[in-house]
Amino acid sequence: MNHSKKQISDSEFHSIVALLHGSDQPGLVAKVSNWIWKRQGNILHADQHRDSEHEIFFQRVEWVPQETSTREIKAFEDFAEGLGMNCQISVSSHRPKVALFVSRYDHCYHDIILRWKAGEFNGELAVVISNHEDLRDSTLNYGLPFEHVPVAKENKKAAESRQIEILKAHQVELVILARYMQVLSRELLLEMRGQVINVHHSFLPAFAGAKPYHQAHQRGVKLIGATAHYATEDLDEGPIISQEVAPVNHRHSVADLVRNGRDLEKRVLAQAVRFHLEHRILCYQNKTVVFS
Amino acid sequence: MNHSKKQISDSEFHSIVALLHGSDQPGLVAKVSNWIWKRQGNILHADQHRDSEHEIFFQRVEWVPQETSTREIKAFEDFAEGLGMNCQISVSSHRPKVALFVSRYDHCYHDIILRWKAGEFNGELAVVISNHEDLRDSTLNYGLPFEHVPVAKENKKAAESRQIEILKAHQVELVILARYMQVLSRELLLEMRGQVINVHHSFLPAFAGAKPYHQAHQRGVKLIGATAHYATEDLDEGPIISQEVAPVNHRHSVADLVRNGRDLEKRVLAQAVRFHLEHRILCYQNKTVVFS
Amino acid sequence: MNHSKKQISDSEFHSIVALLHGSDQPGLVAKVSNWIWKRQGNILHADQHRDSEHEIFFQRVEWVPQETSTREIKAFEDFAEGLGMNCQISVSSHRPKVALFVSRYDHCYHDIILRWKAGEFNGELAVVISNHEDLRDSTLNYGLPFEHVPVAKENKKAAESRQIEILKAHQVELVILARYMQVLSRELLLEMRGQVINVHHSFLPAFAGAKPYHQAHQRGVKLIGATAHYATEDLDEGPIISQEVAPVNHRHSVADLVRNGRDLEKRVLAQAVRFHLEHRILCYQNKTVVFS
Amino acid sequence: MNHSKKQISDSEFHSIVALLHGSDQPGLVAKVSNWIWKRQGNILHADQHRDSEHEIFFQRVEWVPQETSTREIKAFEDFAEGLGMNCQISVSSHRPKVALFVSRYDHCYHDIILRWKAGEFNGELAVVISNHEDLRDSTLNYGLPFEHVPVAKENKKAAESRQIEILKAHQVELVILARYMQVLSRELLLEMRGQVINVHHSFLPAFAGAKPYHQAHQRGVKLIGATAHYATEDLDEGPIISQEVAPVNHRHSVADLVRNGRDLEKRVLAQAVRFHLEHRILCYQNKTVVFS
């Protein structure tokens, strides 16, 4: 998403993914597949969804074009515009740069980096940004740059400017908040055009806010959960991408919930990041369509 | 629970279950197991839990006594009193009478009755009470009495009196609200001493109140849930016994959530009823200890 | 599937579902969607899959045609034939007749009938066939015909002929084996052209054959499972449609596994039947593609 | 388990865990809890199980003794012997040394080390042993010794001797096979007295042997699994400790199963190791009792 055209060279990419959405109209599936076929493209995957309540059409289509050039992409964008559809388009050779924000809890941090090294993500970790120094050595061992940006009440503005500077310097297209314990500013969110994924350690909307495992323990629930979602200005209110739960019982202390929850947090965050980087997610009405 | 001593004959029961709880103190496990052993009882199961936060001790112990008599039960009750422990005691031959409240949604109703017929519950369905006539024939086919108690704003008091009358007439010890769409009065809850199990069609505390599947659809969650809990005056706020979830996605309409949710509702309600009738549940601090 | 053309009247159906599969070739998605669009049909759902290993293309497409007539269906069939694709086509107004085979275990039997009555299935239960008399009254109470066909070593051939006779008389298009404890003959399977769904009470291929819960208990597994699959002559070897598992531990006796397993069996069988009747399943290479 | 008495100092430990099993006899719970109480110990947890089929009694009991000394342990061992019970006894201050065997797949390797660093295990990683050099740098970065022991047909005996030497040098009490691709010899298993945990990438007993994800893909199952078990000479046949599954469908290639399976493997292996190191597991009849 948000692909910056200059980064695409005229060669070397294999497939194109387009995410379309807009008002439903007759023949959309036919028109899109026709367009691709007429230009001798070969559709690898096509998935669509009609929201019958709001009469919106969603499509994810991935194809191998005959001619792998930026001209092809431009042509499709014009075609989609002609249909009155919003279009996000990406090519398989483009691996977006990703920034990982972390504080002191390091389970999601290690998990994301190791999965990236294992080839699970269609993107490149570019930089780790933290408000603490704790993970500097570990990050350097992983071969990644580490940026320490302390955040305090007094320096909030300056810290955010510094973060935005780093994101720009690394041409970051996705921010992952891996249990980052600071709220992001409106500006940073705008700068990232919503491409910020957060993990909350509860089954939202239950136990939003602080100390969700304490809240869960207090209420005596029999399942705990974790939620990955796009970050918005309203904390814990953004579009949900992925959720998982695990059983708990009266024997579990808060510390047990925290430990069990770590596994959930890792899984939902990794899954959300993977879906995002494979261009499988469309947002609307504060919800997500995930073509999984 | 709430067993009424006169119902126990001096013969024919095989095991005794005691649920104990009270302030923790040294030697409780030893004292209880000793008492049983000295009287030549044979412990089948013993499970205990210490809430280290509140320093409360919980125990469920089931044993085959040497002498199967009410005297043995009385003796244990005196012994537990001497320890300063609360004690609920029950015998395997006693099968509590159960009332099933239902309105029009019949999936939990059929499920509970069929499981009861399959021998899954350690109790006896005694009567079906409904504010609608719809399930009369079905109930009679199952060989159960059906009581129609219409509930309207004007007759609420009278309806409740009638319900209590029926519960008393059938010596009911447990009420199951199988998607019963009316709020029970404080009096009925007091009359039943809290032995009322409800099913709510969401993963509480998320989506309490009306139309939880609509709320879930609106929020765009990726899991729906169901919760069985003891009914209290605060709707959807009672101690949680059992919870389950199922995955959903953008393709699911509210109607799909309703259909998938029915399966969850059946399972959590049946599980809660089974645990209750096997004397596996202790309540405290608006939570449950479930010795499963 | 196996729809018999004469049963479709020229009016009253709303949508058409086509299941296509065949050798992959360029432009298939475009050709199919084009065909529908050109005839002013409106695609409701379209889902496709390419098996890249075997180069097979699969598609399920559902649309509202401009003209709801058998001519439209014939036209599409001719079109698909022209593409060299296998085609199963069905209309929404056609609700296939279903036969339920049962022996003595009645949990799947009740579950299927109650779900059918709740409107979960896109078909009509036409008859219950059993090798025992036990469920006659219950079946009649449900308002369904009951056919007792005893099966013994000596009368196997005759029993099967009788079964086939009943299936023909009721124009049955799908047979559900709801824990039916007899092996079906090759003839009956041929007669039903593979439209027979069985439930096996294990996570196949583990514990095929007799007494799977005993086998599971013996091996000490930590999960039990159930599998719904199309019945083939090789017992428990047919294409798998649906599988579920539940956790077990050392405390569970074989009887506990049986009880817990019942819930799994009900769910996988109901899910498989629902998918089948919504024309979501394609078989190939002894596997299933389930467009869920 | 297998605790070596000389390692326990007379001070500093807080609790004792005993795992008992033997022929069932009246009064066992009472006798054990009495013994502890009489010596002014304070029971933290007590869990027992009777296998009614084989009339075996199992108990895990954890208590804070009045006197934290080796004398207390010796006294309990004598007491258990007097009861005719097998007894494994351990103290909370003793953290067993653990060796991690790994080949090239590194997901379980990283996962185990990171969980250990996060404090999830009641033991100490002492050494990493591999038949490849690949993970040397990573291991040293983690601050752990790395031992390269190449294994080839010609040097099998020598390699095993070397492995045993290393295990002895590090006083290893538990071996974790984190996707180690070589079969261990009888001698090493004997040397470790069965304290070897393996992870197999299928839901055993389904798909034992080589390439389970390929087998699963071939069979068309709808769930894949992973199993952690004690290693025995019969490959994939040892007592099962932990199993998990995840849903798959026709869209998943073998590579997808491999990726999804990694998460399952990590979870079941970590869980098994945690239970083992908390002395929660007893083996009998090639099964496990896991007091979780």
Side-chain angles (χ1 to χ4, degrees), chain D residues 70-135:
Chain D
T70 51
R71 257 195 307 165
E72 196 69 8
I73 289 166
K74 182 71 179 64
F76 189 85
E77 285 176 332
D78 291 346
F79 163 70
E81 201 186 322
L83 292 174
M85 305 295 282
N86 287 296
C87 178
Q88 297 171 348
I89 194 159
S90 185
V91 295
S92 60
S93 58
H94 175 60
R95 292 172 59 83
K97 298 288 194 302
V98 177
L100 195 59
F101 277 57
V102 66
S103 292
R104 277 190 167 123
Y105 295 120
D106 63 359
H107 51 287
C108 286
Y109 155 91
H110 287 297
D111 190 68
I112 291 288
I113 296 177
L114 287 167
R115 286 176 192 269
W116 168 62
K117 284 182 174 278
E120 288 190 20
F121 298 135
N122 192 28
E124 291 299 336
L125 276 185
V127 61
V128 171
I129 299 176
S130 180
N131 53 335
H132 295 284
E133 279 283 6
D134 309 41
L135 294 168

Side-chain angles (χ1 to χ4, degrees), chain C residues 103-124:
Chain C
S103 293
R104 278 189 166 124
Y105 295 121
D106 62 0
H107 51 287
C108 286
Y109 155 91
H110 287 297
D111 189 67
I112 290 289
I113 296 177
L114 287 168
R115 286 177 193 269
W116 167 63
K117 284 182 175 276
E120 289 190 19
F121 298 134
N122 192 28
E124 291 299 335

Side-chain angles (χ1 to χ4, degrees), chain A residues 90-105:
Chain A
S90 185
V91 295
S92 59
S93 58
H94 174 60
R95 293 171 60 82
K97 297 289 194 301
V98 178
L100 195 59
F101 277 58
V102 66
S103 292
R104 278 191 166 121
Y105 295 121

Side-chain angles (χ1 to χ4, degrees), chain B residues 18-278:
Chain B
L19 284 169
L20 297 163
H21 74 285
S23 299
D24 197 22
Q25 54 187 273
L28 278 172
V29 174
K31 284 170 189 167
V32 171
S33 52
N34 253 336
W35 188 91
I36 293 167
W37 182 41
K38 288 282 162 61
R39 296 169 80 98
Q40 293 177 278
N42 187 18
I43 291 177
L44 297 178
H45 302 287
D47 208 349
Q48 45 278 325
H49 173 60
R50 272 182 82 249
D51 182 304
S52 51
E53 198 184 341
H54 300 96
E55 303 227 318
I56 310 178
F57 176 85
F58 302 88
Q59 188 174 40
R60 180 187 187 273
V61 58
E62 181 172 359
W63 74 98
V64 181
Q66 175 70 1
E67 186 194 350
T68 55
S69 71
T70 53
R71 258 195 308 166
E72 197 69 8
I73 289 165
K74 182 72 179 66
F76 189 85
E77 286 175 332
D78 292 346
F79 163 71
E81 202 186 322
L83 292 174
M85 306 295 282
N86 288 296
C87 177
Q88 296 170 348
I89 195 158
S90 185
V91 295
S92 59
S93 58
H94 175 61
R95 294 172 59 82
K97 297 290 195 299
V98 178
L100 195 59
F101 277 58
V102 66
S103 292
R104 278 191 166 122
Y105 296 121
D106 62 0
H107 50 287
C108 286
Y109 155 90
H110 286 297
D111 189 68
I112 291 288
I113 296 178
L114 287 168
R115 286 176 193 269
W116 167 61
K117 285 183 174 276
E120 289 191 19
F121 298 135
N122 191 29
E124 291 299 336
L125 277 185
V127 61
V128 172
I129 299 176
S130 182
N131 53 335
H132 294 284
E133 279 284 6
D134 308 41
L135 294 169
R136 177 181 295 277
D137 286 357
S138 167
T139 304
L140 300 180
N141 271 339
Y142 280 127
L144 286 168
F146 179 87
E147 296 282 357
H148 179 218
V149 183
V151 180
K153 263 194 187 151
E154 316 81 61
N155 80 338
K156 220 146 197 205
K157 275 264 160 193
E160 276 152 15
S161 302
R162 177 72 191 116
Q163 289 168 346
I164 292 174
E165 211 174 271
I166 297 167
L167 295 176
K168 280 184 176 164
H170 288 277
Q171 296 180 288
V172 167
E173 297 180 49
L174 173 68
V175 165
I176 304 174
L177 304 180
R179 298 294 310 274
Y180 182 66
M181 306 303 277
Q182 299 288 329
V183 179
L184 295 195
S185 69
R186 196 167 179 238
E187 272 127 28
L188 197 149
L189 290 174
L190 277 175
E191 181 64 36
M192 289 305 303
R193 279 172 266 175
Q195 312 297 287
V196 179
I197 295 176
N198 184 39
V199 61
H200 183 76
H201 39 314
S202 85
F203 176 77
L204 288 175
F207 310 130
K211 292 189 172 285
Y213 293 127
H214 287 79
Q215 292 182 56
H217 190 258
Q218 173 73 17
R219 180 62 186 93
V221 289
K222 299 301 184 186
L223 296 167
I224 54 164
T227 303
H229 61 95
Y230 286 111
T232 53
E233 282 182 86
D234 292 323
L235 218 62
D236 308 331
E237 292 289 332
I240 293 171
I241 306 169
S242 182
Q243 297 189 294
E244 289 210 28
V245 296
V248 294
N249 62 46
H250 60 272
R251 298 198 190 282
H252 290 88
S253 63
V254 171
D256 294 326
L257 302 194
V258 168
R259 192 198 63 228
N260 287 343
R262 285 199 294 254
D263 272 11
L264 298 175
E265 296 163 35
K266 289 188 286 187
R267 277 146 60 190
V268 295
L269 183 58
Q271 191 175 59
V273 167
R274 191 160 57 80
F275 285 155
H276 179 96
L277 291 171
E278 292 175 358

